[in-house]
Amino acid sequence: MVVSPEHPIIEKYKAELKNWDEIDAYREQAAHKSDFERAELAKEKTGVQIDGLTAVNPVNGKEIPIWISDYVLMSYGTGAIMAVPAHDQRDWEFAKKFDLPMIQVVSKNGKEADISKEAFTDVATGILVNSDFINGLDVREAQKKMIAFLEEKQIGTAKTNYKLRDWVFSRQRYWGEPIPIVHCETCGYVPIDERELPLELPEVESYMPTDNGESPLAAMTDWVRTTCPCCGGPANRETDTMPQWAGSSWYFLRYTDPHNEEALAGKEALDYWMPVDWYNGGMEHTTLHLLYSRFWHKFLYDQKQVPCKEPYQKRTSHGMILGENGEKMSKSRGNVVNPDDIVRDYGADTLRTYEMFIGAFDLAASWSEDGVKGCRRFLERVWKLQDMTTDENGYSKDLETKMHQTIKKVSSDYENLKYNTAIAAMMALINDFYKKNSLTGEEYRTLLLLLNPTAPHITEELWEIMGFEGHVYEQKWPEYDEAKTIEATVEIAVQINGKVKATILVDKDAAKEDVIAKAKEAIADKLAGTVIKEIYVPGRIVNLVQK
């Protein structure tokens, strides 16, 4: 069980806690972090076990150790969780860090997963295991039976929790939109006159927080002291500023009409540009930014300020690049990679290519210096192709299918954020060029077009060297012929009694008799006995069974 550092149970039982100094020190550290920092997915888990207090599982009566950790928020739910490390990644990471037991209780089709590597989180459906009287039930049935059990024993009652909480809409720092509110001793908190909007930040000499924890604006007394819009008496401006979520929740609306001095944006511009076709951001910001910006947008829609109910048609998130040790990059861990150093040593195109090749776009991936060097060698191979280019027009006959397949693959992968597999396809194509030791001008031209989004500098340079017309970015994207993406020949494995002895190339539509004849010819020196059975799986294998 894990409780939030702010949970009242800690103060309630303070006298019974044997390691109070350790707990108090941890709570002090947690107090300096924001909710966002504490809920960060890639954050290393920290915590302290409470010595002197345990919980009791109300169903089976077992005692459970209680930990304090800052990844549990007091502002969400009850501020205490019964951890399920086998089925929640954050709980799994916490249990792994402190060597705590993990018991799988939901299985996939009755089979237990390997939870030693990661949590098994596909638990919307599944069958209960290691769960006493609800073993063998699917998840939904088990939930109903457990709730009924708890209510019957008068341990608890069913309740619906909504994943909403108050938004702390202020920060004690200079950078941020100033909050247009003043405090008057007579009238209380009062909004400033709309004619004073937008309220702008004053110029300051220091952006550092004050000694008492207030915003740097609090020291700007000339700006702070003002008059009340209601009674005209003395008043003080609000010195906290808005969080970064404020501006980032609506800035794309202003982009549609940035010079409009009469409104947020003109109706014609909003009708034309909104909603945003595709919004991409970091994994850690997905939940909160999506929640806040949709809330903001729906309010503006209700106020008839925007024409559409939703701000985005599609939203995606990219994964995080970790250090070589697999941990999040940070100065304290000493695993930060400076992009400027990579550009200096290997070039900007190498950095771009490696970042797109490092792994799946939406998943975390560990940085690798060897991977950077590999992408540099790949680009060097692209550069050297200019010396192998012939004057032959179009695509060569033996590589025509490969060219159309690569265009199709790269085009599709770019559209679907599968940059790593798009680059892998181009690497495979280059291998074929080197095997052949030549390529046509048109084949090189197509490769440069496909590679340009990844490595724009080298491709533009090569484009000019090769004498191709115009610039790469001005060209039409390559097109493929679906019919020409289909292989005319296939490679067939030839087996004797189930063991592969050779491979042969045959026409895709070749007759069975012709394929078997070619197979026998290829392994004639290995056929020692009488063939009693001939098996042909089209496009895959020929298996000759002999005595």
Side-chain angles (χ1 to χ4, degrees), residues 9-20:
I9 196 174
I10 300 170
E11 291 290 343
K12 182 178 179 181
Y13 293 101
K14 176 179 177 180
E16 300 177 34
L17 306 185
K18 300 175 183 178
N19 58 335
W20 174 255

Side-chain angles (χ1 to χ4, degrees), residues 94-113:
F94 188 85
K96 200 77 172 174
K97 171 77 178 288
F98 295 103
D99 196 24
L100 302 175
M102 293 185 271
I103 302 172
Q104 183 175 0
V105 294
V106 180
S107 65
K108 188 73 170 179
N109 300 322
K111 295 181 180 179
E112 295 192 21

